[in-house]
DNA sequence: GAGTTTGAAACT
DNA sequence: CAGTTTCAAACTC
């Protein structure tokens, strides 16, 4: 069983979507540890535990420390030291120089920082843009799409090498719990300031190193995180299980204030992890790294259905977004999302769960279901390797068929307590609105009763009950995943922008409508990024992938990441400020917030939502070029509008309160026993409004009307007379009711 | 829900 | 920089 530790998800969308997150000292980079093919997903620690418990001696562990170092000649060399005959791989930075200028001067370097880890099973070289990947028998190839001046450092410090090897040795001795052919890893750097092999932190024993180091003096240090995909011994019948892992990680941060920080480091924005096993198609691990768009991070904001890829959302938009944050070890991080290794050639099927607000997806693979998945140990106490990772919860579901009512994630996590580093503990306090459950192994059916499982939850089969496990992950990933299933390495090789992907746009699952972008011209030629994405697409403008947008020919997705990156670059070329928040902090003495460019309204008087200032609930400033602006402090129109708005709001509140009260009273009345007319005590006034009383009252009112008419009273005066008469009638009724209460015969007499 | 208005962004 | 075009959101009916 393979699992992507939920912790990995801390790098994923939400975190990045945050509009106000301030890049503090670290930005995290996760090392990805991929061990070989496994049917199920689970976190390493747990896997280790499992292995030690269930099969501690059966599986010799060999780790494959990967040493990656970068030199300053813009080459990233990946040295892999493993018990296997791995050879070195040299990867040249791929990105053309054209991209380089972005990073330095433009905070946004989304397009410039991608790292693709290809696990190469092929003998031929891969070419990605300017990069040439030489498998050399290596299992992983690290490529960087980053700026040529920004070497990506995948370095295992020389000082660490022995240790890593030692670990490997220990593992082989049977002591370790890691399965054979473990990992490879991968750390991603790619910042300009990154320098080779500095300050690499050693992972816990059994972990492999993968580190990205940054310049020590650099404020933004990168934090390592690891993704481990444990490899279990394969049974003769086992088939390849994991096909791809896709992590889409948006870029960190958008500054609410609009202030930009200098030299914001690139952040991993997305990854596609895949794994190849002998006899199976090669799989790739793609890790894209994007730059932070000159924004400071100080809060975490997430739009549920969007996959954020950059901190571009304007503050006012961000306000609308649901904020999902979790605190991990005192550090606020985004909620994790986990993408689980999928079976090869996954066939994703949506599952509707009645009553559940989550979407589930069933993944059915074509591979044999009898694979090598081993029952997961449920004895966490045997886990002696506290990895600094969050762990997916492994649930020992009864003869697992995920059809069984499963404990909620929270419960599950309690069930599987595990000593972990506090900083890596996953605390899920809020859930995305969509979840996906994906079987780690082929399964004929899912009987969904799996609500409330947080992303990252791994449902493992009970021992001896089969090979099916599930993991919960956000729906958008599945959408992306599904799309990406069409993408092969070949498509990835289109990094140069070759018009290879064309017209194959696929509608999202629920496909909606928006972002209609052309892909072909009349000659059926590929139209490059300039029109790939509608500049009017909010998702794109906000640095998000489209998801459930109803787009037509939408390229704003993971599958078309290359084109998308180009589009981003194009936008930035046109306007370096394109993705910066429109609402920023004003000058000294001005209001706290103001539009960065100012509005240009002509007809709306800046008092409608057409005006970006008004929409942001700020007043126009000196930089606005609006005509007939009424959106200033002393504007009577504005004040009137504000008063009206306030009054309307108050009215709504009052109405709501009145309705609530009335509803409560009616409910109360209905629940009371019917008043006994002869009880002498429970009579209510309305019980005295008989037909006769009503007729008499109406006669009185008519009489008043006639009298007013005779006297030549005005309409208003007549109405007043009638109302006064009506009041007297009501008083009479009430008085009669009061008397009747004290004297039951009063009304009858 | 369809049609109109509006202004941002792109284009020339 | 200014005028025009395109587009999606806001608005109106």
């Amino acid at each position: 069983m393979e699992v992507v530790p939920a912790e990995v998800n801390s790098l994923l969308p939400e975190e990045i979507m945050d509009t106000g997150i301030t890049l503090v000292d670290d930005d995290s980079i996760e090392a990805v540890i991929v061990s070989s093919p496994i049917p199920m997903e689970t976190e390493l620690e747990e896997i280790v535990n499992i292995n030690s418990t269930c099969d501690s001696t059966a599986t010799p562990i060999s780790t494959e420390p990967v040493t990656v170092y970068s030199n300053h000649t813009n080459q990233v060399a990946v040295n892999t030291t493993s018990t296997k005959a791995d050879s070195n791989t040299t990867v040249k930075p791929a990105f053309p120089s054209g991209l380089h200028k972005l990073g330095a001067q433009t905070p946004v370097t989304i397009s410039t920082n991608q790292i693709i880890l290809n696990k190469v099973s092929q003998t031929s070289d891969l070419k990605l843009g300017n990069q040439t990947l030489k498998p050399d028998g290596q299992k992983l190839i690290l490529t960087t799409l980053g700026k040529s001046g920004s070497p990506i450092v995948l370095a295992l410090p020389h000082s660490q090498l022995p240790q890593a090897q030692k670990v490997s040795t220990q593992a082989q001795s049977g002591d370790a719990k890691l399965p054979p052919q473990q990992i490879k890893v991968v750390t991603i750097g790619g910042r300009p300031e990154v320098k080779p092999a500095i300050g690499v932190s050693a992972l816990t024993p059994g972990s492999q190193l993968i580190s990205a180091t940054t310049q020590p003096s650099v404020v933004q240090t990168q934090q390592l995180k690891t993704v481990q995909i444990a490899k279990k011994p394969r049974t003769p019948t086992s088939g390849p299980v994991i096909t791809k892992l896709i992590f889409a990680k948006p870029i960190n941060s958008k500054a609410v204030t609009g202030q930009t920080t200098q030299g914001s480091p690139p952040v991993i924005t997305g990854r596609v992890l895949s794994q190849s096993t002998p006899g199976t198609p090669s799989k790739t691990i793609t890790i894209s790294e994007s730059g932070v768009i000159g924004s400071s991070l100080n809060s975490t904001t997430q739009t549920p259905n969007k996959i954020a890829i950059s901190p571009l959302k304007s503050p006012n938009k961000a306000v609308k977004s649901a904020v999902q944050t979790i605190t991990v070890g005192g550090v606020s991080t985004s909620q994790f999302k986990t993408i689980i290794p999928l079976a090869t050639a996954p066939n994703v099927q949506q599952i509707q769960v009645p009553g559940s607000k989550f979407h589930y997806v069933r993944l059915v693979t074509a591979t044999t279901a009898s694979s090598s998945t081993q029952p997961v140990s449920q004895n966490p106490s045997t886990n002696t390797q506290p990895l600094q990772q969050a762990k997916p919860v492994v649930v020992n579901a009864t003869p697992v068929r995920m059809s069984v009512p499963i404990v909620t994630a929270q419960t599950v996590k309690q069930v599987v307590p595990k000593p972990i580093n506090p900083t890596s503990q996953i605390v899920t306090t809020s859930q995305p609105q969509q979840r996906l459950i994906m079987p780690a192994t082929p399964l004929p059916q899912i009987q969904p009763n799996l609500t409330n499982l947080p992303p990252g939850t791994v449902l493992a089969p009970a021992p001896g009950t089969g090979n099916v496990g599930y993991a919960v992950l956000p729906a958008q990933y599945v959408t992306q995943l599904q799309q990406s299933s069409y993408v092969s390495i070949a498509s990835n090789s289109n990094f140069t922008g070759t018009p290879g992907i064309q017209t194959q746009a696929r509608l999202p699952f629920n496909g909606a409508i928006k972002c209609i972008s052309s892909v072909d011209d009349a000659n059926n030629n590929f139209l490059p990024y300039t029109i790939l994405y509608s500049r009017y697409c909010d998702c794109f403008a906000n640095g998000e992938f489209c998801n459930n947008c109803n787009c037509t020919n939408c390229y704003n997705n993971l599958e078309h990441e290359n084109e998308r990156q180009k589009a981003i670059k194009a936008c930035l070329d046109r306007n370096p400020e394109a993705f910066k928040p429109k609402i920023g902090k004003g000058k000294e003495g001005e209001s706290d917030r103001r539009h960065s460019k100012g509005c240009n309204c002509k007809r709306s008087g800046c008092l409608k939502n057409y005006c970006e200032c008004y929409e942001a609930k700020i007043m126009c400033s000196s930089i606005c070029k609006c005509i007939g602006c009424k959106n200033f402090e002393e504007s009577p129109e504005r004040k009137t509008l504000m008063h009206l708005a306030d009054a309307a709001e108050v009215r709504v509140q009052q109405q709501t309160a009145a309705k609530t009260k009335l509803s409560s009273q009616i409910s109360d009345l209905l629940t009371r026993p019917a008043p006994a007319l002869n009880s002498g005590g429970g009579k209510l006034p309305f019980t005295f409004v008989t037909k006769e009383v009503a007729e008499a009252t109406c006669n009185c009112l008519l009489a008043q009307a006639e009298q007013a008419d005779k006297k030549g009273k005005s309409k208003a005066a007549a109405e007043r007379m009638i109302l006064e008469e009506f009041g007297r009638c009501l008083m009479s009724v009430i008085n009669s009711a009061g008397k009747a209460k004290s004297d039951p015969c009063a009304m009858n007499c």
Side-chain angles (χ1 to χ4, degrees):
Chain A
M1 177 167 72
E2 294 180 349
V3 167
V4 176
E7 185 181 22
V8 171
N9 294 315
S10 62
L11 289 178
L12 298 181
E14 296 94 306
E15 184 174 278
I16 295 151
M17 294 180 67
D18 297 348
T19 56
I21 296 174
T22 299
L23 265 186
V24 201
D25 290 338
D26 327 301
D27 56 332
S28 318
I29 285 186
E30 296 182 349
V32 178
I33 298 176
V34 179
S35 57
S36 45
I38 312 104
M40 279 293 291
E41 310 77 34
T42 195
E43 169 206 1
L44 178 61
E45 283 189 337
E46 307 213 292
I47 292 172
V48 170
N49 182 18
I50 292 166
N51 291 336
S52 64
T53 301
C54 300
D55 194 13
S56 60
T57 58
T59 303
I61 298 170
S62 66
T63 58
E64 296 176 352
V66 176
T67 299
V68 181
Y69 62 88
S70 66
N71 54 31
H72 294 290
T73 60
N74 292 332
Q75 285 188 343
V76 176
V78 177
N79 294 331
T80 301
T81 301
S82 67
T83 56
K84 291 187 175 182
D86 290 339
S87 60
N88 296 335
T89 298
T90 299
V91 177
K92 293 181 179 180
F95 263 70
S97 60
L99 295 176
H100 301 168
K101 63 181 180 181
L102 285 178
Q105 307 203 336
T106 304
V108 180
T109 57
I110 296 173
S111 63
T112 67
N113 299 287
Q114 275 193 338
I115 294 177
I116 295 177
L117 293 178
N118 294 320
K119 187 171 185 177
V120 177
S121 62
Q122 302 157 327
T123 56
S124 61
D125 295 347
L126 277 178
K127 288 186 176 180
L128 299 179
N130 294 335
Q131 290 180 324
T132 298
L133 304 180
K134 297 178 181 297
D136 295 336
Q138 197 69 316
K139 288 185 179 179
L140 284 179
I141 288 181
L142 174 65
T143 69
T144 174
L145 300 179
K147 295 173 292 184
S148 60
S150 305
I152 291 179
V153 177
L154 297 182
L156 182 61
H158 298 293
S159 63
Q160 295 291 335
L161 286 173
Q163 182 177 352
Q165 293 174 346
K166 180 180 180 180
V167 172
S168 175
T169 302
Q170 291 175 347
Q172 290 179 344
S173 65
D175 198 10
K177 331 265 152 79
L178 296 175
Q181 286 186 351
Q182 226 174 24
I183 328 252
K184 316 205 158 206
V185 148
V186 186
T187 297
I188 306 155
R191 299 179 194 171
E193 65 271 18
V194 172
K195 289 185 178 180
I198 297 175
V200 174
S201 61
L203 297 176
T204 56
S207 304
Q208 285 181 341
L209 130 12
I210 308 168
S211 68
T213 60
T214 60
Q215 202 168 2
S217 61
V218 174
V219 176
Q220 300 90 355
T221 60
Q222 294 181 343
Q223 178 180 356
L224 287 177
K225 295 182 180 179
T226 61
V227 176
Q228 293 180 338
I229 300 174
K231 174 181 179 180
K232 291 188 176 182
R234 299 173 56 193
T235 61
T237 59
S238 65
V241 175
I242 295 174
T243 299
K244 287 186 176 181
L245 292 177
I246 295 177
F247 294 94
K249 180 185 178 182
I251 299 174
N252 281 334
S253 90
K254 293 169 239 178
V256 172
T257 60
Q259 296 292 339
T260 60
T261 58
Q262 70 276 22
S264 298
V267 178
I268 297 172
T269 56
R271 307 171 199 174
V272 176
L273 303 179
S274 66
Q275 206 174 15
S276 66
T277 60
T280 63
S282 64
K283 301 162 186 176
T284 62
I285 296 175
T286 299
I287 298 176
S288 65
E289 183 177 24
S290 298
V292 174
I293 299 178
S295 302
S296 59
L297 301 172
N298 52 27
S299 69
T300 298
T301 303
Q302 178 187 2
T303 303
N305 290 330
K306 308 280 187 182
I307 299 176
I309 53 175
S310 67
L312 307 177
K313 179 171 291 184
S314 61
N316 56 324
K317 297 276 185 179
V319 171
K320 301 174 184 176
S321 302
V323 176
Q324 293 183 342
T325 60
I326 62 172
T327 299
V328 177
V331 177
S332 177
T333 62
S334 63
Q335 177 178 356
F336 60 85
K337 291 182 179 179
T338 298
I339 290 183
I340 295 184
L342 303 177
T344 53
N347 182 13
V348 179
Q349 299 177 1
Q350 279 190 312
I351 298 174
Q352 296 297 327
V353 181
S356 172
K357 61 180 179 179
F358 302 123
H359 291 179
Y360 295 94
V361 169
R362 183 182 70 193
L363 230 78
V364 179
T365 66
T367 58
T368 59
S370 58
S371 62
S372 55
T373 302
Q374 288 184 346
V376 176
S377 169
Q378 299 152 12
N379 183 7
S381 62
T382 60
N383 185 352
T384 58
Q385 289 184 344
L387 295 178
Q388 294 184 352
Q389 287 185 340
K391 50 209 172 212
V393 177
V394 176
V395 179
N396 180 20
T398 44
V400 170
R401 284 274 171 181
M402 294 337 262
S403 52
V404 182
I406 297 176
V407 233
T408 59
Q410 290 75 8
T411 303
V412 170
K413 291 190 175 184
Q414 292 172 355
V415 170
V416 188
K418 186 176 181 180
I420 59 174
N421 188 317
T423 60
S424 62
Q425 176 136 12
I426 295 174
V427 178
T428 302
T429 55
S430 60
Q431 310 298 333
Q433 292 184 348
Q434 291 184 341
R435 308 282 171 69
L436 296 171
I437 270 196
M438 309 185 81
T441 59
L443 180 68
Q445 272 219 324
I446 292 177
Q447 299 179 17
N449 192 357
L450 303 173
T451 60
N452 300 327
L453 292 178
T457 300
V458 175
L459 304 176
T465 57
N467 300 321
V468 177
Y470 296 89
V472 181
L473 68 164
Q476 57 265 35
Y477 288 110
V478 172
T479 300
Q480 295 291 324
L481 184 62
Q482 188 183 37
Q483 293 177 345
S484 67
S485 64
Y486 297 99
V487 180
S488 62
I489 292 177
S491 67
N492 285 337
S493 65
N494 287 330
F495 270 92
T496 56
T498 304
I501 302 173
Q502 188 178 22
T503 71
Q504 295 295 327
R506 300 171 187 83
L507 293 175
F509 270 142
N510 303 329
I513 340 164
K514 228 168 102 179
C515 315
I516 299 175
S517 53
S518 301
V519 191
D520 283 336
D521 62 11
N523 299 322
N524 200 35
N525 292 324
F526 179 79
L527 298 181
Y529 48 86
T530 53
I531 59 171
L532 284 176
Y533 308 102
S534 169
R535 55 184 177 275
Y536 309 103
C537 173
D538 267 359
C539 300
F540 180 68
N542 292 334
E544 299 167 346
F545 287 112
C546 285
N547 186 45
N548 296 330
C549 294
N550 250 1
C551 306
T552 299
N553 292 341
C554 178
Y555 272 45
N556 188 26
N557 51 45
L558 198 58
E559 180 180 1
H560 302 96
E561 180 63 13
N562 297 335
E563 288 77 9
R564 186 176 174 281
Q565 295 298 334
K566 292 176 183 176
I568 291 172
K569 179 182 179 297
C571 287
L572 292 172
D573 285 344
R574 288 190 297 263
N575 175 22
E577 313 289 315
F579 295 103
K580 290 185 178 179
K582 292 179 179 177
I583 308 300
K585 187 174 178 59
K587 296 178 180 178
E588 198 72 22
E590 296 184 357
S591 64
D592 288 341
R593 297 168 61 235
R594 75 167 188 175
H595 197 287
S596 59
K597 292 174 60 180
C599 67
N600 194 32
C601 304
K602 295 177 177 63
R603 294 173 176 269
S604 66
C606 300
L607 289 181
K608 291 187 177 181
N609 281 336
Y610 295 125
C611 174
E612 291 192 349
C613 297
Y614 181 80
E615 185 182 26
K617 294 180 168 53
I618 58 178
M619 283 174 284
C620 291
S621 65
S622 58
I623 60 175
C624 291
K625 294 175 284 293
C626 42
I627 298 173
C629 180
K630 298 173 182 175
N631 184 26
F632 55 92
E633 182 66 36
E634 302 302 324
S635 167
E637 289 87 353
R638 177 180 167 275
K639 288 181 178 177
T640 300
L641 205 59
M642 292 297 131
H643 291 157
L644 290 175
D646 291 342
E649 186 177 357
V650 170
R651 205 158 43 238
V652 169
Q653 290 176 351
Q654 289 176 342
Q655 289 176 349
T656 302
K659 287 180 181 177
T660 303
K661 185 177 180 180
L662 183 62
S663 175
S664 175
Q665 290 175 340
I666 292 174
S667 176
D668 185 52
L669 276 177
L670 294 176
T671 56
R672 285 185 188 177
L677 291 176
N678 297 325
S679 65
K683 291 183 180 179
L684 297 175
F686 67 84
T687 62
F688 301 102
V689 184
T690 62
K691 181 181 178 182
E692 291 77 14
V693 172
E695 288 179 352
T697 301
C698 289
N699 289 334
C700 292
L701 298 180
L702 286 173
Q704 285 295 316
E706 290 174 357
Q707 190 173 1
D709 188 45
K710 288 177 181 177
K711 292 182 179 179
K713 299 283 185 180
S714 65
K715 186 178 179 180
E719 288 178 349
R720 186 164 61 186
M721 291 176 62
I722 295 171
L723 288 174
E724 289 174 350
E725 178 62 21
F726 184 64
R728 286 190 290 271
C729 292
L730 286 179
M731 290 302 299
S732 177
V733 172
I734 293 172
N735 291 334
S736 297
K739 292 177 182 177
K741 190 173 183 179
S742 59
D743 180 9
C745 295
M747 287 299 294
N748 296 330
C749 298

